[in-house]
Amino acid sequence: MSDEIAENGTANGDVPEIELIIKASTIDGRRKGACLFCQEYFMDLYLLAELKTISLKVTTVDMQKPPPDFRTNFEATHPPILIDNGLAILENEKIERHIMKSVPGGHNLFVQDKEVASLIENLYSKLKLVLVRKDEQKSAALRAHLGRIDALLERRGTRFLTGDTMCCFDCELMPRLQHIRVAGKYFVDFEIPTSFRALWRYMFHMYQLDAFTQSCPADQDIINHYKLQQALKMKKHEELETPTFTTSIPIDFNDLNNSDQ
Amino acid sequence: MSDEIAENGTANGDVPEIELIIKASTIDGRRKGACLFCQEYFMDLYLLAELKTISLKVTTVDMQKPPPDFRTNFEATHPPILIDNGLAILENEKIERHIMKSVPGGHNLFVQDKEVASLIENLYSKLKLVLVRKDEQKSAALRAHLGRIDALLERRGTRFLTGDTMCCFDCELMPRLQHIRVAGKYFVDFEIPTSFRALWRYMFHMYQLDAFTQSCPADQDIINHYKLQQALKMKKHEELETPTFTTSIPIDFNDLNNSDQ
């Protein structure tokens, strides 16, 4: 297992150590990968480590060649995987619940805010549609959705979504905004309009924060993540087909024979 | 090693057995792959097996998971590999020379015809350019080249390139025509004009021949071959780059701070 340890919190044994296993880059197994849930929980836990309620250990696993002990312990389970006091939590929803209910300080991250919750909920699926369909209609829908987030930030006037400190919604939204920015630009020349000033101010603040920059994959890893998805999808298509052999002739058989010697 | 044996020739020991190892499909390891040189030598040897000067054994190897004995014997060498009397020949030019000089009947396939040799020489590279550039200029160059082959066939009035029996040039040309037809259509909607009547007549005759149909990969395997090439090329691009992180802001920093609370 390639260990990338981001130790935080106090060095003494007063706070529990939480380990988060994240997917490595598909380009370089030593780098962080472009896994949205991995980054989201990385950010959640990083904030708690900064508050010194836990100490955090982050381990990257190259899923193209997982180490034998990872295979033995987790078989086909993909990161993120959270390990707390010898207990491994494998499902995203359970990881989220565990951070909220059982990790010291975690409950502070989980703010109740229905407006924000429903506003950011379907943003990412709009990026996926843009990348698959590549038409202006889908790009316009993504842009409109970003416009609604910009309007909320403008109206609330807060630094983050629910106030001046970060919460779970920020850890959910910002990795997705980064994918939209990098992959949208690369694949379909989509750009977040500069007129969305409150949204850019929000991103500007995020880019200053260690919780984001320490957990963020490289642009190349984000781009490669979608390229591999597309290549696998393309490959799948042929795999499902019954093999066919093009041996028909587009002109009339008798005509051909007549002109034959 | 997944054995696909196409036995031909006499069953008794009068004729030598030649084994040709070819690449398997990247979709289904039991199918033939879309390797042009594999198909070319398969056709050469199939013709000799039909003439009963040799008996032919064709073995497909799945290069995504080559069997241990293949790895031991040939390490990183890719098919086609020709095995004659315990001697393995690994390089394309040497395989061609061996068929011509040492395989019984082989010399009959190698007709001297400078006009045909130079005419078919650069055809395939024009398909590659069409697939990479995807512009009409490259398609026009490929179409013009096919037109020159059509004109030669028309003028000569023979069933095959150098006469009424097949030779090495036909075994070289036809697999490439099939790739042009299938991949050209799929990736860039390129079609061989129906006005090239002599060329279609030539292909029509080929489609009747066991030497071609037994050695020909499925359309899906041809398509997948180029998709994988493109995906690898795309991936390579990111692998060579130094990782970068987009964290700049497209609007003025001070402006953002002024509008901040």
Side-chain angles (χ1 to χ4, degrees):
Chain A
M1 218 172 277
S2 76
D3 275 359
E4 176 199 295
I5 299 171
E7 291 281 6
N8 280 286
T10 56
N12 65 44
D14 287 342
V15 297
E17 185 187 85
I18 305 285
E19 181 177 1
L20 181 70
I21 302 177
I22 64 171
K23 269 184 212 157
S25 155
T26 50
I27 295 174
D28 177 341
R30 293 162 301 177
R31 292 210 303 252
K32 289 176 290 283
C35 161
L36 286 167
F37 288 103
C38 294
Q39 195 186 357
E40 181 178 340
Y41 305 142
F42 192 156
M43 288 177 74
D44 283 334
L45 294 168
Y46 197 96
L47 292 171
L48 299 181
E50 284 188 322
L51 294 169
K52 302 196 190 303
T53 64
I54 61 163
S55 94
L56 173 63
K57 178 183 174 182
V58 175
T59 306
T60 56
V61 169
D62 185 348
M63 294 307 289
Q64 289 166 328
K65 32 183 180 203
D69 62 335
F70 181 84
R71 283 204 238 186
T72 310
N73 292 331
F74 306 115
E75 286 176 20
T77 306
H78 277 232
I81 293 171
L82 187 144
I83 297 171
D84 183 0
N85 201 17
L87 180 76
I89 302 160
L90 309 178
E91 289 165 49
N92 292 347
E93 279 184 27
K94 289 187 180 162
I95 292 174
E96 212 169 306
R97 179 188 296 262
H98 187 84
I99 295 173
M100 176 169 60
K101 301 239 173 180
S102 307
V103 174
H107 65 278
N108 293 313
L109 292 175
F110 288 83
V111 175
Q112 281 262 338
D113 193 323
K114 278 194 181 167
E115 187 186 12
V116 166
S118 69
L119 182 60
I120 69 175
E121 191 171 49
N122 296 313
L123 176 68
Y124 183 62
S125 60
K126 293 199 172 71
L127 171 66
K128 301 280 275 185
L129 281 173
V130 165
L131 296 181
V132 170
R133 304 279 184 79
K134 300 185 181 181
D135 66 29
E136 184 42 42
Q137 214 188 338
K138 298 296 169 196
S139 293
L142 177 60
R143 208 178 294 112
H145 197 145
L146 292 169
R148 290 196 294 279
I149 296 172
D150 175 65
L152 176 127
L153 288 165
E154 180 68 38
R155 171 161 54 76
R156 293 199 172 183
T158 49
R159 189 172 281 240
F160 299 112
L161 283 165
T162 62
D164 288 325
T165 54
M166 276 180 64
C167 75
C168 62
F169 296 121
D170 299 297
C171 299
E172 184 182 336
L173 177 60
M174 188 58 198
R176 287 160 180 83
L177 285 177
Q178 189 70 3
H179 280 227
I180 289 169
R181 186 177 183 190
V182 174
K185 176 68 188 166
Y186 185 88
F187 290 101
V188 291
D189 206 28
F190 178 89
E191 288 188 349
I192 302 173
T194 51
S195 59
F196 293 173
R197 299 181 61 80
L199 186 63
W200 278 112
R201 196 174 62 227
Y202 174 82
M203 292 170 71
F204 170 76
H205 287 134
M206 280 289 186
Y207 289 141
Q208 318 303 313
L209 285 181
D210 287 344
F212 179 74
T213 58
Q214 290 293 317
S215 63
C216 187
D219 298 347
Q220 287 80 2
D221 293 313
I222 295 175
I223 290 163
N224 199 241
H225 173 75
Y226 293 98
K227 282 193 176 173
L228 287 176
Q229 274 190 358
Q230 285 169 18
L232 288 174
K233 210 174 285 166
M234 288 195 303
K235 200 176 166 216
K236 208 107 224 160
H237 190 64
E238 274 80 51
E239 279 167 354
L240 294 172
E241 285 177 28
T242 311
T244 53
F245 297 84
T246 301
T247 57
S248 62
I249 292 285
I251 31 185
D252 185 76
F253 171 87
N254 292 313
D255 265 21
L256 278 172
N257 269 350
N258 290 344
S259 64
D260 210 356
Q261 303 291 6
Chain B
M1 217 174 282
S2 75
D3 273 358
E4 176 200 291
I5 299 171
E7 290 281 7
N8 279 286
T10 55
N12 64 46
D14 288 342
V15 296
E17 184 187 85
I18 306 284
E19 179 177 5
L20 181 69
I21 301 178
I22 63 170
K23 269 184 213 160
S25 154
T26 50
I27 296 175
D28 178 340
R30 293 162 302 179
R31 293 209 303 252
K32 288 177 290 283
C35 162
L36 286 166
F37 288 102
C38 294
Q39 194 185 356
E40 179 178 340
Y41 305 142
F42 191 155
M43 288 177 72
D44 282 335
L45 295 168
Y46 197 97
L47 292 170
L48 299 181
E50 283 187 325
L51 294 171
K52 303 196 189 303
T53 64
I54 61 163
S55 96
L56 173 63
K57 176 182 176 184
V58 176
T59 306
T60 56
V61 169
D62 185 350
M63 293 307 288
Q64 290 165 327
K65 33 184 181 201
D69 62 332
F70 181 83
R71 283 204 240 186
T72 312
N73 291 333
F74 307 116
E75 289 177 20
T77 306
H78 278 235
I81 294 169
L82 187 145
I83 297 171
D84 183 0
N85 201 18
L87 180 74
I89 302 158
L90 310 178
E91 288 164 50
N92 292 347
E93 279 184 28
K94 288 186 182 161
I95 292 175
E96 210 170 307
R97 177 189 298 261
H98 187 85
I99 294 174
M100 174 168 61
K101 302 238 172 180
S102 307
V103 173
H107 65 278
N108 293 315
L109 292 175
F110 289 82
V111 175
Q112 282 262 337
D113 193 323
K114 278 194 182 168
E115 187 187 13
V116 166
S118 68
L119 181 60
I120 68 175
E121 188 171 50
N122 297 313
L123 176 67
Y124 182 63
S125 60
K126 293 200 173 70
L127 171 65
K128 301 280 276 185
L129 280 174
V130 165
L131 296 181
V132 170
R133 303 278 184 81
K134 299 184 179 179
D135 66 30
E136 182 42 43
Q137 211 187 340
K138 298 296 167 196
S139 295
L142 177 60
R143 206 178 294 112
H145 197 146
L146 291 168
R148 289 197 295 278
I149 297 171
D150 175 66
L152 175 128
L153 288 164
E154 181 67 41
R155 171 161 54 78
R156 291 199 174 183
T158 49
R159 188 171 282 240
F160 298 111
L161 283 166
T162 61
D164 289 324
T165 53
M166 273 180 64
C167 75
C168 61
F169 296 121
D170 299 295
C171 300
E172 183 181 337
L173 176 61
M174 187 59 197
R176 287 160 181 81
L177 285 177
Q178 188 70 3
H179 279 227
I180 289 168
R181 185 178 184 192
V182 174
K185 177 68 189 166
Y186 184 89
F187 289 101
V188 292
D189 204 28
F190 178 88
E191 287 186 348
I192 302 172
T194 51
S195 59
F196 293 173
R197 300 182 59 81
L199 185 63
W200 279 112
R201 193 173 65 227
Y202 175 80
M203 290 169 72
F204 170 78
H205 286 134
M206 280 288 183
Y207 289 140
Q208 320 302 312
L209 284 181
D210 287 344
F212 179 75
T213 59
Q214 291 293 317
S215 64
C216 188
D219 297 347
Q220 287 80 1
D221 294 314
I222 295 175
I223 291 165
N224 200 241
H225 172 77
Y226 294 97
K227 282 194 176 173
L228 286 177
Q229 273 190 356
Q230 285 170 16
L232 288 175
K233 212 174 285 167
M234 287 195 302
K235 199 175 165 218
K236 210 109 221 156
H237 190 63
E238 275 79 52
E239 279 167 354
L240 294 172
E241 286 179 29
T242 310
T244 52
F245 297 85
T246 300
T247 57
S248 61
I249 294 287
I251 32 185
D252 187 75
F253 171 87
N254 292 312
D255 266 21
L256 278 172
N257 270 350
N258 290 344
S259 64
D260 211 353
Q261 304 292 9

